[in-house]
Structures are given as structure tokens and as C-alpha cells.
Amino acid sequence: ARRYSGMRLRDCIGEHIVASENTTDRGAGDAVPTADLPTALATLHPIHAWWTVGILMVLQTLSLLDRHILSLMIIEVRTDMGLNDFQVSLLHGLAFTAFYFVSLLFMGRLVDSYPAKRILYFTVTLWSVAAASCGVVKSYWGMMVARMVTGIGEGSVSPSAQTVIASLFPKSRVSFPMSIFTLSGALGIGLSYFGGGVLLEAFTANSAPGLGGLAPWRQVLIVTALPGILIAFLSFTFLEKRPLTGGSISTAESWRE
């Protein structure tokens, strides 16, 4: 029995030494063992966590803005492109919703395995370009494809935000930051109608610089979507410390990581 206990003790010491060497060899942006999660969260400054919530709110607001602003100008779109009721329903509803639904499922699995900041940068850029394309394309099917791609890109925000926020706050205090993030949905919808109406009226009176050859509703779609290409870079500024598939924790904190 004493011999077994001694062997077991040596094995435990050996495992501890190997784990320590692996920790020393890791870079600053590499994953850390799941057991180190309490230590990682304990060193997290509240400002970093709330900055992350703020960035996610901006991205969600932008998502809802690009998603709903078309409904404000559906009469202008229908008249300008000569669409019937069925075509409008596909453009405004199914073209976006079907691909958004599929994207939610796929992005949810993707976020479990890869850093959310990289996923968000790519998808925000993707849907911003697609949403702006709705103001450029001349054909009905071209706009349908642009709306489909917009739905694919926007499917990344909710799973990314919920996962990251839940990992940055203790379970006893996660409901409040989650509710703050949820406010961005209402903010984006309200901004799409109010801000879109203001822009539509302004561009009807005076065209936006460089867009004078386009209809006012097309100018609105372009002006509201293109800033997302720059806003996407904000995703590299937020903090991310959470378990990824494979039992590791993403500890990338800088834009370079």
C-alpha cells in the first residue's frame, strides 16, 4: 500500500511539473486550461467587461438598423422597381429570414469553437457590404441575393454576444448586462425608422455627395450600411475569456490576437 501511495505521489508531482512547463511555454494569446477559468475571471477589470458589452451593443444596433430600414421605404422600392405584392414579401421577408435562421444555427456552433471577435469582424463586414449593395443593384434578383447575404452575416451577433457576455460576468450578475445588450435591439429598430425617415427626407431634397445619380431610397441604404465596414474593426477591441471547444479558454485581449 505504501509503495502504491509513493508511486501515485510521484505521478501527481510529474503531472504538475508538466503542466507548469506547458504554462510557461504558452504565449500571451494562447488558450489556458479550463481549470484556470476562475483565476482568469478574477483578474478581469469591470471596465473591460462593460466595454465589451458596449461594443456588442453597437454591432447589434447596426444589425437591426440594416435589417429593418428597408421596410421604411418599401413603397419607394416597389414603385421604383415595379414589384408586385408577392415579390415584395419575398424580398422583405423570406430572402432575409430563411438565411438568417440557418445562419443562427451555424454561427452558434462556430462561436463555440473560434474567437467571437474574428467571426464578428468578418460577418459585420460581410453584411455591411451586402446591405449597401441593396442600394446599388438594379435587378430584383440581385437585391434578393444581397438580402440573403445580409441575413447570413447578421446571424452571428446574437450567439456571439450572449456567449461572450455570459463568460465575462458571474452567474449572479449576468442578467443586468444581458438586459443592457438586449436594449440595442429596440434601439436599432427605432433608429432604422427615425433615422431612415430623416435621411430619406434629406436625400429627397438634396442628394448625398457622390450619390446624386441614385434614387433617394438607394442613397439611404448605402449611407446607413457602409459605416459598418469601419465599425467592424471595433470587434477587435473587446475582451474575450471563455471556454472553447477542446477544453481551452480564449484569452485574446488585443486587436492583434
Side-chain angles (χ1 to χ4, degrees):
R2 285 195 299 270
R3 179 182 300 177
Y4 175 79
S5 300
M7 293 175 60
R8 183 58 184 162
L9 179 60
R10 287 194 299 272
D11 292 340
C12 291
I13 294 174
E15 292 173 359
H16 178 74
I17 293 174
V18 171
S20 300
E21 291 174 349
N22 290 338
T23 302
T24 304
D25 293 337
R26 270 196 315 264
D30 295 338
V32 299
T34 306
D36 293 343
L37 179 58
T39 303
L41 292 180
T43 61
L44 175 63
H45 197 284
I47 293 179
H48 298 155
W50 282 106
W51 171 260
T52 301
V53 174
I55 297 303
L56 293 170
M57 285 187 66
V58 171
L59 299 181
Q60 178 76 333
T61 300
L62 180 65
S63 169
L64 272 294
L65 172 64
D66 290 337
R67 185 184 313 176
H68 289 280
I69 197 168
L70 185 65
S71 62
L72 172 71
M73 305 175 294
I74 202 67
I75 296 177
E76 287 80 3
V77 174
R78 176 176 179 170
T79 302
D80 193 18
M81 300 188 69
L83 306 180
N84 56 41
D85 290 340
F86 180 69
Q87 289 176 314
V88 169
S89 68
L90 291 180
L91 180 63
H92 182 56
L94 186 62
F96 176 90
T97 306
F99 284 81
Y100 178 75
F101 175 83
V102 175
S103 177
L104 275 175
L105 300 177
F106 175 74
M107 292 297 176
R109 187 66 186 91
L110 201 64
V111 169
D112 286 339
S113 305
Y114 299 96
K117 59 176 65 181
R118 299 177 185 176
I119 296 173
L120 284 173
Y121 170 74
F122 174 77
T123 54
V124 172
T125 303
L126 178 67
W127 95 57
S128 297
V129 173
S133 299
C134 290
V136 178
V137 295
K138 300 297 183 180
S139 68
Y140 170 73
W141 286 107
M143 184 171 286
M144 283 280 288
V145 172
R147 287 287 289 174
M148 292 173 184
V149 176
T150 302
I152 293 174
E154 293 187 4
S156 66
V157 181
S158 291
S160 297
Q162 293 177 27
T163 301
V164 171
I165 292 175
S167 70
L168 295 180
F169 294 87
K171 290 183 179 180
S172 59
R173 291 185 295 176
V174 74
S175 297
F176 181 64
M178 198 70 77
S179 65
I180 295 296
F181 166 76
T182 305
L183 288 176
S184 58
L187 180 61
I189 295 174
L191 190 60
S192 67
Y193 288 106
F194 176 76
V198 171
L199 289 176
L200 182 61
E201 184 176 359
F203 294 157
T204 301
N206 299 288
S207 298
L211 301 177
L214 299 175
W217 67 268
R218 291 182 179 275
Q219 298 180 42
V220 172
L221 291 177
I222 295 172
V223 169
T224 55
L226 284 182
I229 298 176
L230 297 178
I231 294 175
F233 283 99
L234 290 176
S235 61
F236 288 116
T237 69
F238 71 67
L239 184 64
E240 189 175 358
K241 288 186 177 181
R242 62 190 178 87
L244 298 177
T245 299
S248 61
I249 299 173
S250 172
T251 59
E253 300 184 21
S254 71
W255 67 269
R256 290 183 296 273
E257 299 167 347

